[in-house]
Amino acid sequence: DVKVTQSSRYLVKRTGEKVFLECVQDMDHENMFWYRQDPGLGLRLIYFSYDVKMKEKGDIPEGYSVSREKKERFSLILESASTNQTSMYLCASSWTVSNQPQHFGDGTRLSIL
Amino acid sequence: GQQVMQIPQYQHVQEGEDFTTYCNSSTTLSNIQWYKQRPGGHPVFLIQLVKSGEVKKQKRLTFQFGEAKKNSSLHITATQTTDVGTYFCAGYGAGSYQLTFGKGTKLSVIP
């Protein structure tokens, strides 16, 4: 069974801090994704990666960056955290870019104070 | 860009009643996927539809993909308390690398 593991279930940080959210998958998937989920807004794609060191912007990349140095690991970075980045962050992975289901981690609930 | 609209946003039903959620895309989709997110959980893949007019069933759940590949529906017959959660549709546009999610329909089942 596919396992997508996010480093933290809950995280509290302060405004202006640099925040790292880590995601690891164990199925050798080529593609990995970062979403944020907010009430009433559904899932919005921040960034995705289709290969090591490759990345593509999603719908809401502003204020975020990503890193994929190894195939199994995809990191989301908040360069300077702000209160409007308080949210649930979900990582997902899949075999190919399209026509394959995405497998999600349990999510990180991030609070920026 | 591509938009996927999903209605209703919320649905409260008595246990045993049927439930339907509808999904409409602003553009033609190459395929559509459905996910379920239980309260406190993460989205879990249910099914994918690829062909125009396709209908698939999973026990009490029936999924349809429209003839024009721009809309889809999920129908649950005789809801149970285990059906509680938020149901999302998500679609890939033709030639697109991005899966666009609807905002979801949150289903509550009153025992």
Side-chain angles (χ1 to χ4, degrees):
Chain A
D1 206 15
V2 177
K3 185 69 175 177
V4 179
T5 303
Q6 293 185 228
S7 54
S8 303
R9 194 79 168 96
Y10 300 94
L11 201 56
V12 180
K13 297 291 181 181
R14 296 209 172 272
T15 303
E17 281 192 71
K18 190 169 186 177
V19 181
F20 294 85
L21 301 183
E22 307 286 345
C23 176
V24 177
Q25 50 95 4
D26 67 356
M27 281 301 291
D28 204 34
H29 285 166
E30 294 88 2
N31 307 300
M32 297 188 75
F33 310 84
W34 275 107
Y35 295 88
R36 64 177 283 177
Q37 184 174 23
D38 300 287
L41 297 179
L43 280 76
R44 293 181 291 167
L45 182 65
I46 305 171
Y47 268 97
F48 67 98
S49 169
Y50 52 89
D51 201 352
V52 175
K53 297 190 185 294
M54 305 303 289
K55 61 184 179 183
E56 291 283 343
K57 292 180 180 179
D59 295 321
I60 51 166
E62 296 78 20
Y64 303 95
S65 62
V66 290
S67 173
R68 192 161 180 206
E69 296 296 320
K70 293 184 178 182
K71 193 174 185 180
E72 68 271 18
R73 186 180 297 270
F74 193 33
S75 302
L76 179 69
I77 304 153
L78 285 66
E79 297 292 343
S80 177
S82 62
T83 54
N84 62 15
Q85 291 178 310
T86 291
S87 185
M88 171 67 82
Y89 290 87
L90 288 162
C91 175
S93 70
S94 72
W95 281 116
T96 56
V97 177
S98 65
N99 293 333
Q100 295 295 319
Q102 293 190 7
H103 301 268
F104 286 83
D106 288 336
T108 296
R109 185 163 294 282
L110 175 65
S111 297
I112 306 295
L113 305 178
Chain B
Q2 180 180 301
Q3 291 186 348
V4 175
M5 284 72 70
Q6 196 172 349
I7 57 170
Q9 190 173 359
Y10 301 96
Q11 186 79 58
H12 304 274
V13 299
Q14 285 289 143
E15 189 173 15
E17 291 183 339
D18 293 356
F19 159 77
T20 305
T21 174
Y22 300 91
C23 187
N24 289 285
S25 171
S26 58
T27 60
T28 301
L29 300 171
S30 60
N31 62 59
I32 195 156
Q33 300 176 357
W34 285 91
Y35 293 77
K36 177 183 178 181
Q37 184 174 24
R38 295 181 186 274
H42 58 268
V44 175
F45 174 78
L46 293 176
I47 206 162
Q48 176 171 271
L49 305 171
V50 179
K51 300 176 183 177
S52 170
E54 190 170 12
V55 178
K56 286 188 176 180
K57 291 190 175 184
Q58 287 181 349
K59 296 182 180 179
R60 294 177 295 104
L61 279 61
T62 302
F63 304 84
Q64 293 188 324
F65 200 11
E67 294 290 341
K69 301 184 74 173
K70 295 181 73 173
N71 58 72
S72 182
S73 65
L74 158 59
H75 179 82
I76 303 178
T77 303
T79 54
Q80 300 175 358
T81 54
T82 53
D83 296 324
V84 164
T86 301
Y87 293 85
F88 293 96
C89 62
Y92 284 105
S96 172
Y97 291 163
Q98 183 170 329
L99 186 62
T100 301
F101 281 80
K103 292 183 179 179
T105 296
K106 187 174 182 179
L107 172 64
S108 300
V109 178
I110 305 163

